[in-house]
Every structure is written in structure tokens, then in C-alpha cells.
Amino acid sequence: MSRDVAPIARLKYLLRRLTSFDPRRVWGFASQIAKEQGKWAPRVFVDMLVWAALHDTAYIDYYEADFALLSKSERKTFMTSLIQHHLAQAVNDRTDVLQFENKITFNRRFAEYLGRDWLDLDEVDAEGLRAFAEKNPVFIAKTPVGREGKGVFRYEASEVTDWNAFRDELRDKGQRLIEQRIEQHPYLSEYCEGTVNTTRVATFFDGTKVHVLMAAQKFGRGAVSDQFTWGGFFTMIDENGKSFGPGHTGKHKSRYETHPDSGKSIVDFEVPMWDRVVDLVTRAAQEVPTVPYIGWDVAVGPEGPMLIEGNWTPGLYETRVSATGIRTGSRARHRPVIEASRR
């Protein structure tokens, strides 16, 4: 049994699981795993229940990390969503995390790290919006609170004929945050020009040192966002900013040795200006010491990296053995935050 989650947190998790248990959903996962990996569905079904009850592994985690292909010792090297959620709840201040949940609040707090213009639609009239769009003919509108790329939209100023009506439309849709469109590094544009391909970096600030716990490179398919909900995929990144191997979606059986649209190599990918990316998140991680465990989304532009947002629950990114052949997860690198959660 994992010792990385406090007993009371595990008990609450088990109670939630019992009250929401849907055997048809679990059987659906087991059947899909059996079909994709040549396993016997009933055995997978029972194994999923055991690892959910005793090893802090949600059914979706079991599927996405290919646990059916891993030994018990190999599985224990992987992070799970329950462990990550427990860590975030244990070390991050419940009030101060609000600075990260709202994108407008985040932009104000981390203004020096953004590298782009933006405005709050509630603070400008239609003429102010039009003036912003004249400088930024293609711009991004976001709802202040949203996850997984939902609530992110791209507009072209040339298509707007009535700025008063357009401003009212954006406000009615809740798209209050207006941002300059990011120009990404030419190397990243070679992979997918139509989407800003961002790097997720999880950090933990122990009060003295910032630890880089995990990094993943996300790739888009031409949509406004590189998230899975928009067709994106990712590859894990090592401590030198280089790809671990082929990319995958984590949501179904997939393997990308090259980008499916551009043909650029995923296995040979290196994050441009990696040292500057690490420096950026290291500085940003110390801004709010009461929220030490953060997953940063970083875009790298021609002149350097810039923050997109910070997620106080960093998001679960792990390799898949079926896609990469790698049988070791990132839990060991999370030791600093795991130890801090026990204090």
C-alpha cells in the first residue's frame, strides 16, 4: 500500500469511490485494456479494483499509465491523480491558490513573466477593445476560469464590423480576458504553426530551493489550444530539455514518433532555450511561497520563454510503456513535495 497519501485522505477517497462505484465504467476500461493489450478482461477488472482500493490508483490512471503491462514495483514508480491531488491539497494554501485559478488575477500577479499585452474587458469600452485589436489583428479571448483549453478562443479583427456589439458578445460569453496572440519560436512552429505548443513544468519550492519535478512538451494540431480536448498530444521531457521518446495522448492507444501533420521528429525534440525556461519557472515558483507546488504552462517565443498560466494542481503527465517502452514513472522526482506533505 502506498504511503504517499495520508490515511484520512485515502479513507475519504475510498468512501467517494464506494458511493460512486459504477461497475459498468470499470468494466469498460478493463475491456478496452484487454482489447488493446491482449489481456484477459476479468483479470484486469479485478486488478483495477485492487489498485484503486490499496494503491491510490484511479481507473483512468491505471489505463493511461498502462499498468496492465507493468509489474507491481514498476507501477509504484508512477504518480497517480490521487497522490498528486493529495500533495497539492497538503502543501498549497487554500486561499492563496485563488491567485492561480483566475487567469486575470494570475496575469496581474505574474505580469513581469507574461511577455505579451492583455486587457480586462470590464476595464475598457468598445473603443479600447478596437484599439487593442488594431495592434493585435489576431487575438485570443479567454474565460477567466477554465481548464483543459476550454474557454479559449481566437478572433480576427478584420471579421469584426460592430465593436460595441462584439464587446457585448464577448462579455455575454464570459470571455473577459483578451490577450495578444503569442508568436512562438520558429523551431516550435516547424512542428505545428497553427497552435502555440507549450511546455508543462511542475515545480516545488521548499523555501530554499526550487525543484523541477516533471516536464512535458505538448503539441497541437492547428487548433487554438494544444490540450487533449483539441486533439493535442505530449511527450515527456528529461532534465536536459530533451524528449524521452515517442509522444502519446494518454487518453487512448497512440504513438507519435513524428508529428502527424508536419512530420517533424518527436523523439529528437528538444525544448528551445531550455535553460531559460527553467530559470523562468524557478523565479516564478518563488513568487507565492504559500503555493509551492505548481504546474506551469510556458510558451517559448523567438526572444525567450513566457508564462501562460500556473496550475496549483499540476496535472498528471506520465509516460506510457506501450508508446515509449519506458517502464519508470516520475514519482521519485516528486520526493521533495511528498516529504513536505508529511510534515
Side-chain angles (χ1 to χ4, degrees):
M1 184 177 293
S2 168
R3 297 180 180 179
D4 294 336
V5 177
I8 188 66
R10 179 178 292 109
L11 178 60
K12 290 180 179 178
Y13 168 78
L14 289 174
L15 289 175
R16 287 196 302 269
R17 282 293 175 194
L18 288 172
T19 56
S20 63
F21 178 62
D22 183 352
R24 292 171 300 179
R25 182 169 181 267
V26 185
W27 179 254
F29 275 124
S31 299
Q32 187 171 354
I33 291 168
K35 180 180 179 181
E36 291 181 359
Q37 301 175 359
K39 302 292 182 178
W40 187 44
R43 181 173 182 177
V44 174
F45 178 83
V46 172
D47 196 37
M48 291 178 73
L49 295 179
V50 170
W51 277 76
L54 302 179
H55 300 287
D56 313 320
T57 305
Y59 311 129
I60 187 67
D61 295 343
Y62 184 104
Y63 170 60
E64 291 181 1
D66 283 336
F67 270 24
L69 298 178
L70 300 174
S71 68
K72 182 177 181 179
S73 60
E74 289 170 338
R75 294 175 183 185
K76 288 186 175 182
T77 69
F78 283 73
M79 289 289 289
T80 70
S81 54
L82 173 61
I83 294 173
Q84 185 181 82
H85 180 73
H86 167 68
L87 297 179
Q89 291 279 337
V91 303
N92 290 335
D93 183 91
R94 304 294 181 86
T95 299
D96 291 346
V97 297
L98 299 177
Q99 298 178 56
F100 296 86
E101 288 187 349
N102 186 294
K103 292 179 174 63
I104 291 177
T105 304
F106 178 86
N107 279 13
R108 290 196 174 105
R109 182 65 182 78
F110 291 89
E112 67 177 287
Y113 302 94
L114 300 181
R116 62 192 181 278
D117 293 333
W118 66 279
L119 59 81
D120 180 348
L121 199 58
D122 284 354
E123 296 179 352
V124 300
D125 57 14
E127 180 59 26
L129 176 59
R130 186 192 64 78
F132 182 91
E134 282 185 352
K135 295 180 181 179
N136 304 282
V138 179
F139 56 93
I140 305 298
K142 301 177 180 179
T143 56
V145 179
R147 295 177 61 86
E148 299 182 340
K150 299 173 183 177
V152 180
F153 304 88
R154 185 164 52 204
Y155 294 100
E156 296 189 18
S158 61
E159 297 179 352
V160 180
T161 57
D162 185 332
W163 287 97
N164 283 293
F166 181 62
R167 178 179 178 275
D168 290 342
E169 177 186 347
L170 292 179
R171 293 182 76 247
D172 289 344
K173 292 179 178 178
Q175 298 169 26
R176 182 178 152 196
L177 174 59
I178 311 299
E179 293 188 337
Q180 175 186 3
R181 184 188 185 189
I182 291 172
E183 178 185 358
Q184 66 183 337
H185 193 283
Y187 176 73
L188 292 167
S189 290
E190 292 177 4
Y191 280 83
C192 181
E193 185 176 10
T195 304
V196 177
N197 305 286
T198 61
T199 309
R200 172 66 61 89
V201 185
T203 61
F204 174 67
F205 178 45
D206 65 12
T208 302
K209 178 182 177 181
V210 174
H211 304 265
V212 175
L213 309 175
M214 176 283 300
Q217 178 64 40
K218 295 180 279 185
F219 298 95
R221 302 291 304 277
V224 68
S225 172
D226 58 11
Q227 296 284 359
F228 314 122
T229 49
W230 295 88
F233 62 97
F234 72 94
T235 184
M236 301 301 291
I237 298 296
D238 68 17
E239 63 273 14
N240 298 309
K242 298 179 180 180
S243 170
F244 272 15
H248 56 89
T249 65
K251 301 299 179 184
H252 56 78
K253 189 175 182 180
S254 57
R255 175 186 170 90
Y256 299 104
E257 291 196 11
T258 60
H259 193 287
D261 302 317
S262 66
K264 291 285 292 181
S265 174
I266 301 300
V267 296
D268 296 324
F269 176 84
E270 297 183 29
V271 179
M273 304 185 190
W274 174 247
D275 289 346
R276 292 180 61 183
V277 170
V278 172
D279 177 69
L280 179 75
V281 298
T282 297
R283 290 185 289 114
Q286 299 174 67
E287 290 286 342
V288 187
T290 52
V291 186
Y293 183 38
I294 295 291
W296 308 97
D297 279 334
V298 179
V300 181
E303 304 302 322
M306 58 198 83
L307 283 187
I308 304 298
E309 64 183 24
N311 303 271
W312 70 271
T313 300
L316 188 61
Y317 290 81
E318 285 283 14
T319 187
R320 295 192 78 177
V321 64
S322 61
T324 67
I326 298 169
R327 310 182 73 89
T328 303
S330 67
R331 194 185 300 194
R333 294 175 65 181
H334 285 75
R335 275 295 123 194
V337 64
I338 290 172
E339 291 172 0
S341 71
R342 295 170 177 166
R343 297 171 190 158

